[in-house]
Amino acid sequence: MATLTKEAESRILSLLLAEGLVDPTLATNAQKSADGKSVLDTLIAEHAITSDMVAHATALIIGVPYVELKNVAIDQEILVIIPYETQARFLVIPLGEKDGMLNIAMSDVTNVQATDYISNLVNKPVRVWMSSERGIREMLEKNHGDFSGVKEAVRDTNEAQAQAQSNVKTIVQDSPISKALTTILSYAAKTKSSDIHIEPLEDSLIIRCRIDGVLRKIMDLPKAVAPALVSRIKILANLKIDEHRIPQDGQFTVLVDDKEIDLRIATSPVTWGEQVVIRLLDKKGVSMEVDKMGMAGRALRAVLDGIRKPNGMILTSGPTGSGKSTTLYALIQQIKSEEINIVTLEDPVEYKMDGINQIQVNVDAGLTFASGLRSILRQDPDVVMVGEIRDSETASLAVQAALTGHLVFSTLHTNSAAGILPRLLDMGIEPFLLASTLNVVIGQRLVRRITEKRDLYKSTEIETNGINSLVGDLLPQVNSDVDRISEDLGYPGLPVRSTEYYMLAKGRDTKETPNGYSGRAGLYETITVDEDIQKMIVNHSTAAEIMRLAREKGTITMRQDGMLKVLSGITSIQEVNRVASDIS
């Protein structure tokens, strides 16, 4: 807050009294007991007023606009305009750009030197808004977390110390760098991040976390900290700390809030040093039930029918991080029984499951997907899960396993469910073998869920037309059997088709739910490989031709599934467009 003169304090107190915001008796007592101290600080300490009230009154007295930060949603792109260290130093928050000016919120609007510094830093004029110190600190913590451990490491580690700490003997559990890493991992775990990116630049080190599928920059560190931080991670993951020329992979486990979280580490040399990506795997925080992951209706029935068959292949597709492995674990959970032998071959084993024999791929030792699959087939399995089909040899062995009476689960990297079929043909699988072994193929993406704290709004004309063009024919009509149609699609309570508007949900942006989202749900499309699809495979039909026939048979595309989830209040149109805009 700005440093106030006695006259300014008196005017602020008079304003609060005039507005009935403070009890006159309490104000009089505070003036008597202040003993030279600030009357306003005394009233705040006695909880008679809040710092927000004082900040708002101060803004009116000084003649600057006031902003209540808890009611403001700020884009991540705006937040990174001013470095975190500068925000924390001057207690300033960038709000947004308008008319060529950057709007900023400060607690001390009288600090002309700070505003000039920020203006030169961003290379544009600034307009200052006033906010309370409490509000700014809460916003800083919300957007960057409480990184006191990291700040301590930065204070205590200059460049020379950082170089020294890269020695294994000096990096101990109690070192500032160890505490800094613990703080970063704790923040990532509490925000349910899936990945941490530690990326060196020419003059700094940035830390980013992937929260609900979206990367967010959480802080900048001095470049001097990089060697020690990377070395500490390498030590924990049993990697070579003196090897900086080639990528390395490792893993270790941490305990956060009495929960064990497995970490997968990948280091690689980049232009300005070594990049580290840490993937967090919290098996207790992941739902292993297919219906709770977002699969419903026709798609769920098709998959359940496919896994009930005694043999054949169930394949999932999608980009890295789309939940393919989690889907396979959930399907295996559905069929797990003491009566069958389930063996998996994974790289790496992401979630350890009781009652399942899980094998870790080790390329250095000669244990590849292909060699491991040959070994598995000699272990009398009933169900085989191959983490990923990467080459022709693995694909051929997986098909042979399905032909010889095994139920095979696996994943591929393609853009859609239909894309799996020509991809396997490109790997050299004979069309007639593929047609006779595939049970069901699944395409998927992940979208962020709208939080329970939400508001409803009417869709715009463009949004309404977009919804109708995609799923209008799937929505119940007036006087139709609403319950039957909704149940068939798997989304009870779908609205009746409208040409005017739909009521859509928007989550409230809070500290716990950034941008109004919390958690993720899957978008799915499933294709049952029946006789008609088999004929198309044998005839080398394209993915588009196969998808066209599948839609005629009732397949819901990922984009349609997304719009149905929008109408059900699960996610937003923006999320569906973000992950499935090019999928039809």
Side-chain angles (χ1 to χ4, degrees):
M1 190 174 69
T3 303
L4 301 173
T5 63
K6 291 293 184 180
E7 180 183 357
E9 272 203 358
S10 177
R11 292 177 63 190
I12 292 169
L13 184 57
S14 298
L15 180 59
L16 293 174
L17 287 167
E19 294 294 330
L21 297 175
V22 60
D23 187 293
T25 303
L26 292 177
T28 302
N29 292 338
Q31 288 174 319
K32 291 178 180 178
S33 61
D35 193 24
K37 299 179 182 178
S38 167
V39 176
L40 297 177
D41 288 344
T42 303
L43 288 170
I44 291 173
E46 295 176 354
H47 304 290
I49 57 175
T50 66
S51 58
D52 294 288
M53 293 163 60
V54 173
H56 200 165
T58 304
L60 290 172
I61 296 295
I62 297 176
V64 298
Y66 176 81
V67 59
E68 187 72 50
L69 289 175
K70 67 180 180 182
N71 299 325
V72 177
I74 307 172
D75 291 338
Q76 190 65 24
E77 294 179 359
I78 296 296
L79 283 168
V80 298
I81 288 177
I82 301 176
Y84 168 71
E85 286 75 15
T86 303
Q87 294 183 38
R89 177 184 172 190
F90 295 117
L91 290 180
V92 57
I93 296 289
L95 301 173
E97 295 183 29
K98 188 176 182 181
D99 300 329
M101 300 182 68
L102 178 66
N103 289 279
I104 60 174
M106 295 181 67
S107 63
D108 186 359
V109 296
T110 62
N111 192 339
V112 179
Q113 289 82 4
T115 56
D116 287 344
Y117 175 81
I118 293 167
S119 179
N120 292 328
L121 183 68
V122 300
N123 197 27
K124 63 182 63 178
V126 298
R127 184 189 183 203
V128 181
W129 295 63
M130 186 161 189
S131 189
S132 68
E133 181 177 333
R134 181 196 59 81
I136 289 177
R137 291 192 184 280
E138 286 184 357
M139 183 63 77
L140 285 171
E141 183 178 345
K142 170 186 172 182
N143 292 306
H144 303 282
D146 180 11
F147 295 108
S148 56
V150 181
K151 295 169 188 173
E152 179 186 346
V154 173
R155 281 198 307 269
D156 296 351
T157 308
N158 58 32
E159 187 166 359
Q161 289 173 322
Q163 296 296 335
Q165 286 194 11
S166 62
N167 186 313
V168 63
K169 295 179 180 178
T170 63
I171 302 181
V172 295
Q173 192 67 34
D174 295 331
S175 70
I177 282 297
S178 297
K179 293 177 182 178
L181 178 60
T182 300
T183 303
I184 293 170
L185 293 176
S186 178
Y187 172 82
K190 289 176 181 177
T191 56
K192 298 181 180 178
S193 301
S194 60
D195 301 89
I196 303 170
H197 290 238
I198 300 173
E199 302 168 336
L201 302 180
E202 184 177 7
D203 301 312
S204 64
L205 183 73
I206 66 170
I207 313 293
R208 297 195 292 171
C209 287
R210 189 176 295 278
I211 303 173
D212 290 335
V214 178
L215 274 173
R216 293 181 59 196
K217 180 179 175 182
I218 59 173
M219 72 180 310
D220 286 289
L221 292 176
K223 186 68 176 287
V225 179
L229 186 60
V230 173
S231 294
R232 177 60 186 164
I233 295 169
K234 285 183 175 181
I235 290 169
L236 293 171
N238 291 320
L239 303 179
K240 298 177 180 178
I241 66 170
D242 58 345
E243 179 58 79
H244 310 290
R245 300 165 299 171
I246 60 174
Q248 297 187 74
D249 297 318
Q251 60 184 28
F252 63 94
T253 302
V254 294
L255 192 67
V256 178
D257 292 337
D258 297 325
K259 290 193 304 182
E260 276 195 357
I261 298 178
D262 294 329
L263 305 177
R264 284 166 45 189
I265 312 300
T267 71
S268 61
V270 294
T271 304
W272 302 112
E274 276 189 281
Q275 179 192 37
V276 181
V277 177
I278 304 173
R279 171 154 289 187
L280 292 83
L281 301 170
D282 178 12
K283 65 180 181 180
K284 292 184 179 178
V286 176
S287 172
M288 291 296 180
E289 298 179 42
V290 185
D291 54 343
K292 291 184 179 179
M293 292 162 54
M295 195 178 292
R298 297 171 184 170
L300 180 58
R301 289 197 299 275
V303 171
L304 293 180
D305 288 343
I307 66 176
R308 290 192 186 105
K309 295 180 179 179
N311 59 277
M313 297 176 68
I314 292 90
L315 302 179
T316 68
S317 70
T320 301
S322 61
K324 300 186 300 296
S325 297
T326 305
T327 297
L328 292 188
Y329 281 117
L331 295 179
I332 286 176
Q333 191 77 29
Q334 286 276 334
I335 62 173
K336 189 176 75 169
S337 166
E338 293 181 356
E339 299 174 355
I340 60 175
N341 178 24
I342 302 175
V343 184
T344 74
L345 186 63
E346 306 171 58
D347 183 23
V349 175
E350 294 191 4
Y351 302 108
K352 300 175 181 64
M353 301 177 69
D354 293 333
I356 296 175
N357 301 300
Q358 297 173 274
I359 300 174
Q360 167 77 51
V361 166
N362 188 340
V363 177
D364 293 337
L367 179 55
T368 63
F369 278 116
S371 63
L373 188 50
R374 286 196 192 90
S375 173
I376 285 175
L377 296 179
R378 294 192 290 269
Q379 297 175 18
D380 187 32
D382 297 291
V383 177
V384 175
M385 176 183 133
V386 182
E388 184 182 344
I389 295 178
R390 296 176 179 172
D391 51 53
S392 300
E393 187 179 9
T394 306
S396 178
L397 288 168
V399 169
Q400 292 298 324
L403 282 171
T404 53
H406 303 91
L407 189 61
V408 179
F409 295 86
S410 193
T411 70
L412 283 92
H413 287 284
T414 64
N415 288 326
S416 64
I420 290 176
L421 309 175
R423 175 77 178 115
L424 288 172
L425 293 176
D426 288 342
M427 286 184 174
I429 306 300
E430 292 293 340
F432 68 92
L433 291 177
L434 191 59
S436 59
T437 55
L438 279 174
N439 293 349
V440 62
V441 290
I442 307 166
Q444 67 182 83
R445 297 287 191 279
L446 291 177
V447 291
R448 291 179 290 179
R449 288 181 181 267
I450 294 174
T451 179
E452 293 182 2
K453 295 180 179 178
R454 57 181 61 192
D455 298 305
L456 297 179
Y457 71 96
K458 294 180 180 179
S459 61
T460 65
E461 182 180 353
I462 294 176
E463 290 173 334
T464 302
N465 292 337
I467 292 170
N468 284 335
S469 66
L470 276 172
V471 297
D473 294 339
L474 302 176
L475 298 179
Q477 308 293 317
V478 179
N479 300 325
S480 295
D481 186 351
V482 175
D483 292 334
R484 181 186 61 78
I485 295 174
S486 298
E487 182 181 352
D488 187 39
L489 291 172
Y491 302 104
L494 286 174
V496 171
R497 176 169 181 169
S498 170
T499 56
E500 298 179 2
Y501 64 85
Y502 296 97
M503 294 305 297
L504 306 180
K506 180 180 181 181
R508 296 178 184 173
D509 185 23
T510 67
K511 178 181 177 181
E512 293 76 21
T513 57
N515 299 316
Y517 297 103
S518 179
R520 290 193 284 178
L523 305 185
Y524 299 93
E525 61 185 19
T526 61
I527 300 176
T528 300
V529 183
D530 58 13
E531 291 184 7
D532 293 330
I533 300 291
Q534 288 175 349
K535 290 177 183 177
M536 297 194 76
I537 296 172
V538 172
N539 293 330
H540 289 265
S541 298
T542 65
E545 292 170 337
I546 292 171
M547 193 64 197
R548 194 175 300 118
L549 176 60
R551 291 185 67 175
E552 292 174 4
K553 290 174 169 290
T555 290
I556 304 296
T557 68
M558 271 185 274
R559 190 155 172 76
Q560 287 178 316
D561 187 34
M563 284 302 172
L564 293 172
K565 286 182 167 69
V566 168
L567 294 173
S568 300
I570 295 173
T571 190
S572 67
I573 291 179
Q574 292 77 13
E575 275 297 285
V576 176
N577 290 338
R578 181 177 67 86
V579 305
S581 56
D582 297 323
I583 300 168
S584 59

